[in-house]
Amino acid sequence: MEEIISAGLEELGLTGRVPENAPAQLAQYGQMLLEKNQVMNLTAIRERSGVARLHFLDCAALLKFCDFENKTLIDVGTGAGFPGMVLKMLAPSLDVTLLDSLNKRLDWLAEVCGRLELEGIRTLHARAEEQAHEPGFRDGFDIVTSRAVAPLELLCELCLPFVKPGGVFLAM
């Protein structure tokens, strides 16, 4: 998996822009994902190459569209951590909030963060439409991401309230 990730990052023109240890760290995350997927449905993709290409490199492609360094990001409906976890590993200065309505996924993501020694990342068990009204969340993030959560018109309603003026929403 690490070799596929390294080659994919090179193809995307991201080599040198991401930490040297990122492919190894992502491969470790991928292994943890595949192991947990045997007892909890996190992804329909069940082979290492698919996880590397269809999850990790798909998320990594976002690095080509905006600057993530020293920014705040909320990943709405993070699920198994895509794209928030991947972006954190590729841009370590990024301050990440992983929001999801299912606590068991967030518990697993917190465990992953601990095992991978990731800092500057938090999990938040909430519904996006409610959390956007909480102090510090509305207009609170430089970058808002969401991947495979809802049709675009609904996704905009859920995610745009979190975007700071001048910020960006990256819908996947």
Side-chain angles (χ1 to χ4, degrees):
M1 191 177 316
E2 186 175 342
E3 297 79 21
I4 294 169
I5 296 165
S6 293
L9 291 172
E10 186 174 343
E11 278 183 44
L12 288 168
L14 298 173
T15 306
R17 290 182 48 196
V18 300
E20 205 172 283
N21 70 332
Q25 194 174 44
L26 285 166
Q28 187 177 357
Y29 172 36
Q31 187 57 42
M32 294 169 69
L33 172 71
L34 291 171
E35 287 170 11
K36 190 64 170 185
N37 206 47
Q38 293 176 4
V39 295
M40 180 192 305
N41 184 27
L42 294 169
T43 177
I45 299 166
R46 302 188 184 284
E47 60 281 337
R48 296 165 58 82
S49 64
V51 168
R53 288 186 179 95
L54 301 174
H55 285 316
F56 298 160
L57 295 173
D58 184 56
C59 294
L62 289 178
L63 292 176
K64 298 179 67 85
F65 298 103
C66 72
D67 177 21
F68 289 85
E69 294 302 320
N70 299 305
K71 299 286 193 313
T72 57
L73 177 141
I74 188 167
D75 184 15
V76 176
T78 193
F82 307 124
M85 289 281 288
V86 175
L87 293 170
K88 177 64 178 176
M89 290 178 216
L90 296 172
S93 68
L94 185 63
D95 184 323
V96 175
T97 299
L98 303 173
L99 183 142
D100 203 272
S101 63
L102 288 180
N103 208 31
K104 66 180 181 176
R105 289 191 289 234
L106 295 170
D107 289 343
W108 177 74
L109 288 169
E111 178 185 327
V112 171
C113 289
R115 286 182 56 191
L116 296 178
E117 300 178 356
L118 295 175
E119 295 179 4
I121 190 165
R122 73 201 48 80
T123 59
L124 179 61
H125 178 234
R127 296 188 58 80
E129 59 271 27
E130 295 167 2
Q131 193 63 37
H133 298 287
E134 293 298 318
F137 286 87
R138 188 167 204 85
D139 300 328
F141 297 87
D142 299 307
I143 303 166
V144 178
T145 58
S146 193
R147 181 174 184 252
V149 169
L152 187 58
E153 61 275 2
L154 176 57
L155 201 57
C156 287
E157 288 181 32
L158 294 173
C159 295
L160 288 174
F162 293 105
V163 181
K164 278 183 181 177
V168 296
F169 170 39
L170 300 172
M172 298 182 74

